[in-house]
Each structure stands twice: as structure tokens, then as C-alpha cells.
Coordinates of all heavy atoms in Angstrom, one line a residue:
M1 N 4.3 11.6 -27.1 CA 3.4 12.1 -26.1 C 4.2 12.4 -24.8 O 5.3 12.0 -24.6 CB 2.3 11.1 -25.7 CG 2.6 10.2 -24.5 SD 1.5 8.9 -24.2 CE 1.1 8.2 -25.8
R2 N 3.6 13.3 -24.0 CA 4.3 13.6 -22.8 C 3.2 13.6 -21.7 O 2.0 13.7 -22.0 CB 5.1 14.9 -22.8 CG 4.3 16.2 -23.2 CD 5.3 17.4 -23.3 NE 6.2 17.3 -24.5 CZ 7.3 18.0 -24.6 NH1 7.7 18.8 -23.6 NH2 8.1 17.9 -25.6
Y3 N 3.7 13.6 -20.4 CA 2.7 13.5 -19.3 C 2.9 14.7 -18.4 O 4.0 15.3 -18.3 CB 3.0 12.2 -18.6 CG 2.6 10.9 -19.3 CD1 3.6 10.2 -20.0 CD2 1.3 10.5 -19.3 CE1 3.2 9.1 -20.7 CE2 0.9 9.4 -20.0 CZ 1.9 8.6 -20.7 OH 1.5 7.5 -21.4
K4 N 1.9 14.8 -17.6 CA 1.9 15.9 -16.5 C 1.2 15.3 -15.3 O 0.3 14.5 -15.4 CB 1.3 17.1 -17.1 CG 0.6 18.0 -16.1 CD 0.1 19.3 -16.9 CE -1.3 19.6 -16.7 NZ -1.9 19.9 -15.5
V5 N 1.7 15.7 -14.1 CA 1.1 15.2 -12.9 C 0.2 16.4 -12.4 O 0.7 17.5 -12.2 CB 2.1 14.8 -11.8 CG1 1.5 14.4 -10.5 CG2 3.0 13.7 -12.4
N6 N -1.0 16.1 -12.1 CA -1.9 17.2 -11.6 C -2.0 17.3 -10.1 O -1.3 16.5 -9.4 CB -3.3 17.1 -12.3 CG -4.1 15.9 -11.8 OD1 -3.9 15.5 -10.7 ND2 -5.0 15.5 -12.7
E7 N -2.8 18.2 -9.6 CA -2.8 18.5 -8.2 C -3.4 17.3 -7.3 O -3.4 17.4 -6.1 CB -3.5 19.8 -7.9 CG -5.0 19.8 -8.3 CD -5.3 19.9 -9.8 OE1 -4.3 20.1 -10.6 OE2 -6.5 19.8 -10.2
N8 N -4.0 16.3 -8.0 CA -4.6 15.2 -7.2 C -3.5 14.3 -6.6 O -3.9 13.4 -5.8 CB -5.5 14.4 -8.1 CG -6.7 15.2 -8.6 OD1 -7.2 16.1 -7.9 ND2 -7.2 14.8 -9.7
C9 N -2.3 14.4 -7.0 CA -1.2 13.5 -6.6 C -1.2 13.5 -5.1 O -1.1 14.5 -4.4 CB 0.1 13.9 -7.1 SG 1.5 12.9 -6.5
I10 N -1.1 12.2 -4.5 CA -1.1 12.0 -3.1 C 0.3 11.6 -2.6 O 0.6 11.2 -1.5 CB -2.1 11.0 -2.6 CG1 -2.0 9.7 -3.3 CG2 -3.5 11.6 -2.7 CD1 -2.8 8.6 -2.7
G11 N 1.3 11.5 -3.6 CA 2.6 11.2 -3.3 C 2.9 9.8 -2.9 O 3.8 9.5 -2.1
C12 N 2.2 8.9 -3.5 CA 2.3 7.4 -3.1 C 3.6 6.9 -3.7 O 4.1 5.9 -3.2 CB 1.2 6.6 -3.6 SG 1.1 6.3 -5.4
G13 N 4.2 7.5 -4.7 CA 5.5 7.0 -5.2 C 5.4 5.9 -6.3 O 6.4 5.5 -6.8
L14 N 4.2 5.4 -6.6 CA 4.1 4.3 -7.5 C 4.6 4.6 -8.9 O 5.4 3.8 -9.5 CB 2.6 3.9 -7.6 CG 2.3 2.7 -8.4 CD1 3.0 1.4 -7.8 CD2 0.8 2.4 -8.6
C15 N 4.3 5.8 -9.4 CA 4.7 6.1 -10.8 C 6.3 6.2 -10.9 O 6.8 5.8 -11.9 CB 4.1 7.4 -11.3 SG 4.4 8.9 -10.2
A16 N 6.9 6.8 -9.8 CA 8.3 6.9 -9.8 C 9.0 5.6 -9.8 O 10.1 5.4 -10.3 CB 8.8 7.8 -8.7
S17 N 8.4 4.6 -9.1 CA 9.0 3.3 -9.1 C 8.7 2.5 -10.4 O 9.5 1.7 -10.9 CB 8.7 2.5 -7.9 OG 7.3 2.5 -7.6
T18 N 7.5 2.7 -11.0 CA 7.1 2.0 -12.2 C 7.9 2.5 -13.4 O 8.3 1.8 -14.3 CB 5.6 2.2 -12.5 OG1 4.9 1.7 -11.4 CG2 5.2 1.4 -13.7
C19 N 8.1 3.8 -13.5 CA 8.8 4.4 -14.7 C 9.7 5.6 -14.2 O 9.4 6.8 -14.4 CB 7.8 4.9 -15.7 SG 8.5 5.5 -17.2
P20 N 10.8 5.2 -13.6 CA 11.7 6.3 -13.0 C 12.3 7.2 -14.1 O 12.8 8.2 -13.7 CB 12.7 5.5 -12.2 CG 12.7 4.1 -12.8 CD 11.3 3.9 -13.3
E21 N 12.3 6.7 -15.3 CA 12.9 7.5 -16.4 C 12.1 8.8 -16.6 O 12.6 9.8 -17.1 CB 13.1 6.7 -17.7 CG 14.2 5.6 -17.6 CD 13.6 4.4 -16.9 OE1 12.4 4.3 -16.6 OE2 14.4 3.4 -16.7
I22 N 10.8 8.7 -16.3 CA 9.9 9.8 -16.6 C 9.4 10.5 -15.3 O 9.3 11.7 -15.3 CB 8.7 9.3 -17.5 CG1 9.2 8.7 -18.8 CG2 7.7 10.5 -17.7 CD1 10.0 9.7 -19.7
F23 N 9.1 9.7 -14.3 CA 8.5 10.3 -13.1 C 9.5 10.3 -12.0 O 10.2 9.3 -11.8 CB 7.2 9.5 -12.7 CG 6.2 9.5 -13.8 CD1 6.1 8.4 -14.6 CD2 5.3 10.6 -13.9 CE1 5.1 8.4 -15.6 CE2 4.4 10.6 -14.9 CZ 4.2 9.5 -15.8
S24 N 9.5 11.3 -11.2 CA 10.3 11.4 -10.0 C 9.5 12.1 -8.9 O 8.5 12.7 -9.2 CB 11.6 12.1 -10.3 OG 11.4 13.4 -10.7
M25 N 10.0 12.0 -7.7 CA 9.3 12.7 -6.6 C 10.0 14.0 -6.3 O 11.2 14.1 -6.2 CB 9.4 11.8 -5.3 CG 8.7 10.4 -5.5 SD 7.1 10.4 -6.2 CE 6.1 11.1 -4.9
S26 N 9.2 15.0 -6.1 CA 9.8 16.3 -5.8 C 10.0 16.5 -4.3 O 9.6 15.7 -3.5 CB 8.8 17.4 -6.2 OG 7.7 17.4 -5.3
D27 N 10.7 17.6 -3.9 CA 10.9 17.9 -2.5 C 9.6 18.1 -1.8 O 9.6 17.9 -0.5 CB 11.8 19.1 -2.4 CG 13.2 18.9 -2.9 OD1 13.6 17.7 -3.0 OD2 13.9 19.9 -3.1
E28 N 8.6 18.4 -2.5 CA 7.2 18.6 -1.8 C 6.6 17.3 -1.5 O 5.5 17.2 -0.9 CB 6.3 19.5 -2.7 CG 6.7 21.0 -2.7 CD 7.8 21.3 -3.6 OE1 7.9 20.7 -4.7 OE2 8.7 22.0 -3.2
G29 N 7.1 16.2 -2.1 CA 6.6 14.9 -1.8 C 5.5 14.5 -2.8 O 4.9 13.4 -2.7
T30 N 5.4 15.2 -3.9 CA 4.5 14.8 -5.0 C 5.3 14.5 -6.2 O 6.5 14.8 -6.3 CB 3.5 15.9 -5.3 OG1 4.1 17.1 -5.5 CG2 2.5 16.1 -4.2
A31 N 4.7 13.8 -7.2 CA 5.4 13.4 -8.3 C 5.5 14.5 -9.4 O 4.6 15.4 -9.5 CB 4.8 12.2 -8.9
V32 N 6.5 14.5 -10.2 CA 6.7 15.3 -11.3 C 7.0 14.5 -12.5 O 7.8 13.5 -12.4 CB 7.7 16.4 -11.2 CG1 7.2 17.5 -10.2 CG2 9.0 15.9 -10.7
A33 N 6.6 14.8 -13.7 CA 6.9 14.2 -14.9 C 7.9 15.0 -15.7 O 7.8 16.2 -15.7 CB 5.7 13.9 -15.8
K34 N 8.9 14.4 -16.3 CA 9.8 15.1 -17.2 C 9.1 15.7 -18.3 O 8.2 15.1 -18.9 CB 10.9 14.1 -17.7 CG 12.1 13.9 -16.9 CD 13.1 13.2 -17.7 CE 14.1 12.5 -16.8 NZ 14.9 11.5 -17.4
D35 N 9.4 16.9 -18.6 CA 8.7 17.7 -19.7 C 9.3 17.4 -21.0 O 9.9 18.2 -21.7 CB 8.7 19.2 -19.4 CG 7.8 19.9 -20.3 OD1 6.9 19.3 -20.9 OD2 8.0 21.1 -20.5
I36 N 9.3 16.1 -21.4 CA 9.9 15.6 -22.7 C 8.9 14.7 -23.3 O 8.0 14.1 -22.7 CB 11.2 14.9 -22.5 CG1 11.0 13.6 -21.6 CG2 12.3 15.8 -21.9 CD1 12.1 12.7 -21.6
D37 N 9.0 14.5 -24.6 CA 8.3 13.5 -25.3 C 8.8 12.2 -24.9 O 10.1 11.9 -24.9 CB 8.4 13.6 -26.8 CG 7.5 14.8 -27.4 OD1 6.4 14.9 -26.9 OD2 8.0 15.5 -28.2
V38 N 8.0 11.3 -24.4 CA 8.4 10.0 -23.8 C 9.0 9.2 -24.9 O 8.4 8.9 -26.0 CB 7.2 9.3 -23.2 CG1 7.7 7.9 -22.6 CG2 6.6 10.1 -22.1
P39 N 10.3 8.8 -24.7 CA 10.9 7.9 -25.8 C 10.2 6.6 -26.0 O 9.6 6.1 -25.0 CB 12.3 7.7 -25.2 CG 12.5 8.7 -24.1 CD 11.2 9.0 -23.6
E40 N 10.2 6.1 -27.2 CA 9.6 4.9 -27.5 C 9.8 3.8 -26.5 O 8.8 3.1 -26.1 CB 10.1 4.4 -28.9 CG 9.5 3.2 -29.5 CD 8.2 3.4 -30.2 OE1 8.1 4.5 -30.8 OE2 7.3 2.6 -30.1
E41 N 11.0 3.6 -26.1 CA 11.3 2.5 -25.2 C 10.7 2.7 -23.8 O 10.7 1.7 -23.0 CB 12.8 2.2 -25.1 CG 13.7 3.3 -24.6 CD 14.1 4.3 -25.7 OE1 13.4 4.4 -26.7 OE2 15.1 5.0 -25.4
Q42 N 10.3 3.9 -23.4 CA 9.7 4.1 -22.1 C 8.2 4.2 -22.1 O 7.5 4.4 -21.1 CB 10.2 5.4 -21.5 CG 11.7 5.5 -21.3 CD 12.2 4.4 -20.4 OE1 11.5 3.9 -19.6 NE2 13.5 3.9 -20.6
Q43 N 7.6 4.1 -23.3 CA 6.2 4.4 -23.4 C 5.3 3.4 -22.7 O 4.3 3.8 -22.1 CB 5.7 4.5 -24.9 CG 6.2 5.9 -25.5 CD 5.8 6.1 -26.9 OE1 5.1 5.2 -27.5 NE2 6.3 7.1 -27.5
A44 N 5.7 2.1 -22.7 CA 4.9 1.1 -22.0 C 4.9 1.3 -20.5 O 3.9 1.3 -19.9 CB 5.4 -0.3 -22.4
A45 N 6.1 1.6 -20.0 CA 6.2 1.8 -18.6 C 5.5 3.1 -18.1 O 4.9 3.1 -17.1 CB 7.7 1.8 -18.2
A46 N 5.6 4.1 -18.9 CA 5.0 5.4 -18.6 C 3.4 5.2 -18.6 O 2.7 5.7 -17.7 CB 5.4 6.5 -19.6
A47 N 2.9 4.5 -19.6 CA 1.5 4.2 -19.7 C 1.0 3.4 -18.5 O 0.0 3.6 -17.9 CB 1.1 3.5 -21.0
E48 N 1.9 2.4 -18.1 CA 1.6 1.6 -16.9 C 1.5 2.5 -15.6 O 0.6 2.3 -14.8 CB 2.6 0.5 -16.7 CG 2.3 -0.5 -15.7 CD 3.4 -1.5 -15.5 OE1 4.2 -1.7 -16.4 OE2 3.5 -2.1 -14.4
A49 N 2.4 3.4 -15.5 CA 2.4 4.3 -14.4 C 1.2 5.2 -14.4 O 0.5 5.3 -13.3 CB 3.7 5.2 -14.5
K50 N 0.8 5.7 -15.5 CA -0.5 6.5 -15.6 C -1.7 5.6 -15.2 O -2.5 6.0 -14.4 CB -0.6 7.0 -17.1 CG -2.0 7.7 -17.3 CD -2.0 8.1 -18.7 CE -3.3 9.0 -19.0 NZ -4.5 8.2 -18.9
D51 N -1.8 4.4 -15.8 CA -2.9 3.5 -15.4 C -2.9 3.1 -14.0 O -4.0 2.9 -13.4 CB -2.9 2.3 -16.4 CG -3.2 2.7 -17.8 OD1 -3.6 3.8 -18.1 OD2 -2.9 1.8 -18.7
G52 N -1.7 3.0 -13.4 CA -1.6 2.5 -12.0 C -1.8 3.6 -10.9 O -2.0 3.3 -9.8
C53 N -1.8 4.9 -11.4 CA -2.0 5.9 -10.4 C -3.3 5.8 -9.7 O -4.4 5.8 -10.3 CB -1.9 7.3 -11.0 SG -2.2 8.6 -9.9
P54 N -3.3 5.7 -8.3 CA -4.6 5.4 -7.6 C -5.6 6.6 -7.6 O -6.8 6.4 -7.3 CB -4.1 5.1 -6.2 CG -2.8 5.8 -6.1 CD -2.2 5.7 -7.4
V55 N -5.1 7.8 -8.0 CA -6.0 8.9 -7.9 C -6.1 9.6 -9.3 O -6.7 10.7 -9.4 CB -5.6 10.0 -6.9 CG1 -5.7 9.4 -5.5 CG2 -4.1 10.4 -7.1
G56 N -5.6 8.9 -10.3 CA -5.8 9.5 -11.7 C -5.1 10.8 -11.9 O -5.6 11.7 -12.6
A57 N -3.9 11.0 -11.2 CA -3.3 12.3 -11.3 C -2.4 12.5 -12.5 O -1.8 13.6 -12.6 CB -2.5 12.5 -10.0
I58 N -2.2 11.5 -13.3 CA -1.3 11.6 -14.4 C -2.1 11.8 -15.7 O -3.0 11.0 -16.0 CB -0.4 10.3 -14.5 CG1 0.4 10.2 -13.2 CG2 0.5 10.4 -15.8 CD1 1.2 8.9 -13.2
E59 N -1.8 12.9 -16.4 CA -2.5 13.2 -17.6 C -1.6 13.2 -18.8 O -0.4 13.6 -18.6 CB -3.1 14.6 -17.5 CG -4.0 14.9 -16.3 CD -4.4 16.3 -16.2 OE1 -4.1 17.1 -17.1 OE2 -4.9 16.7 -15.1
E60 N -2.1 12.9 -19.9 CA -1.4 13.1 -21.2 C -1.6 14.5 -21.6 O -2.6 15.0 -21.5 CB -1.9 12.1 -22.3 CG -1.5 10.7 -22.1 CD -2.1 9.8 -23.2 OE1 -2.3 10.3 -24.3 OE2 -2.3 8.6 -22.9
V61 N -0.5 15.1 -22.0 CA -0.6 16.5 -22.5 C 0.0 16.6 -23.9 O 0.7 15.7 -24.4 CB 0.1 17.5 -21.6 CG1 -0.6 17.6 -20.3 CG2 1.6 17.1 -21.4
Ligands
SF4_1 S1 1.2 7.3 -8.8 FE1 -0.2 9.1 -8.8 S2 -0.5 9.6 -6.7 FE2 1.2 8.2 -6.8 S3 3.0 9.6 -6.8 FE3 2.5 9.1 -8.9 S4 1.1 10.8 -9.6 FE4 1.2 10.8 -7.4

């Protein structure tokens, strides 16, 4: 699976600290997800980041 950050992101930074291998903060101050299939060993952290997003801005694609 892979993830995408939608326009609801408020730039809180939680996902990037929970799963930095997949999520990072852009120069615009919002998060971006790497456009890759999440490796097995990162799936739990990536799912935690998705579940922890306060505005539901992380979608599975
Ligand atoms: S946790 Fe959600 S609101 Fe916070 S930076 Fe990540 S995508 Fe944006």
C-alpha cells in the first residue's frame, strides 16, 4: 500500500515524527508521503501516523 497526504493537512508534523521513513514536511509546511509502496517493516509506523493525524489528511491510495 501507499499513502498520500491531502489538502486537509495543517502541518502539525506528527506523521513525520511517527514515521519519518515515509512522511516528511515540505517547504510549504505541509506533509508529503513518499510515492512508494510502504515496506513491510514500515507499515505499522505508517498506519500509526495515518491513525494519529488529527485532521484525517492521510489517505491510502
Ligand atoms: S499528521 Fe496530518 S496534519 Fe499533521 S503533518 Fe501529518 S498529514 Fe499533516
